[in-house]
Amino acid sequence: MEAADAPHERPVRVLIADDERLFVESVEALLHHDARVTVIGTATNGQDAVDLARALIPDVTLMDISMPVLDGIEAARRIRLEQPSAAVLILTGSSIATDIDRARQAGVAGFLTKDRLGTQLVDAILELGSG
């Protein structure tokens, strides 16, 4: 019964979508050291993120706003249309109000600026992945 009482019986499954490979590798390294989280895939553009979310059904998708082919907000909107319970957390260097408004309209679960990843990312993932 102890395993059932644990807040996270299995790791939260995370998809990372960002076109900057070095950033993706940094996020993967950050998450690799936490057994409560597992990265199940990465995408380098918005369309790949939509396709991988459909195939892999992650608990949480970490999504950059500015990406080729399909921007992150439109990709988030499409993921949420196909999977209404999907949790998408926007990761960006921007805190522009119009980006925040568009992200909320797309149904994203949260918005985290990249300068706060080291201190808040895992907690945000665990919060979204447990719901």
Side-chain angles (χ1 to χ4, degrees), residues 48-85:
D48 285 348
V50 172
D51 295 341
L52 281 173
R54 182 182 305 122
L56 301 175
I57 316 293
D59 298 314
V60 178
T61 298
L62 306 178
M63 183 82 69
D64 186 27
I65 289 179
S66 299
M67 287 193 295
V69 183
L70 188 65
D71 80 19
I73 294 173
E74 178 59 21
R77 186 187 70 75
R78 292 182 187 185
I79 290 168
R80 296 269 302 140
L81 279 174
E82 291 183 18
Q83 302 169 42
S85 64

Side-chain angles (χ1 to χ4, degrees), residues 9 23 28 33 48-49 57 72 85 101 107-108 112 114 126:
E9 296 175 6
F23 178 75
E28 284 180 301
H33 297 291
D48 285 348
I57 316 293
S85 64
D101 290 343
V108 302
L112 188 61
K114 290 181 177 180
L126 293 175

Side-chain angles (χ1 to χ4, degrees), residues 6-76:
H8 297 284
E9 296 175 6
R10 68 169 179 83
V12 176
R13 296 164 33 91
V14 176
L15 171 64
I16 304 170
D18 196 298
D19 61 326
E20 294 181 31
R21 187 73 217 149
L22 186 58
F23 178 75
V24 171
E25 290 171 0
S26 297
V27 172
E28 284 180 301
L30 178 70
L31 298 178
H32 177 74
H33 297 291
D34 196 311
R36 299 169 296 175
V37 178
T38 187
V39 175
I40 60 169
T42 62
T44 58
N45 68 62
Q47 186 59 56
D48 285 348
V50 172
D51 295 341
L52 281 173
R54 182 182 305 122
L56 301 175
I57 316 293
D59 298 314
V60 178
T61 298
L62 306 178
M63 183 82 69
D64 186 27
I65 289 179
S66 299
M67 287 193 295
V69 183
L70 188 65
D71 80 19
I73 294 173
E74 178 59 21

Side-chain angles (χ1 to χ4, degrees), residues 73 94-105:
I73 294 173
S94 168
S95 59
I96 298 170
T98 56
D99 288 340
I100 295 170
D101 290 343
R102 285 184 58 224
R104 286 187 180 135
Q105 290 170 359

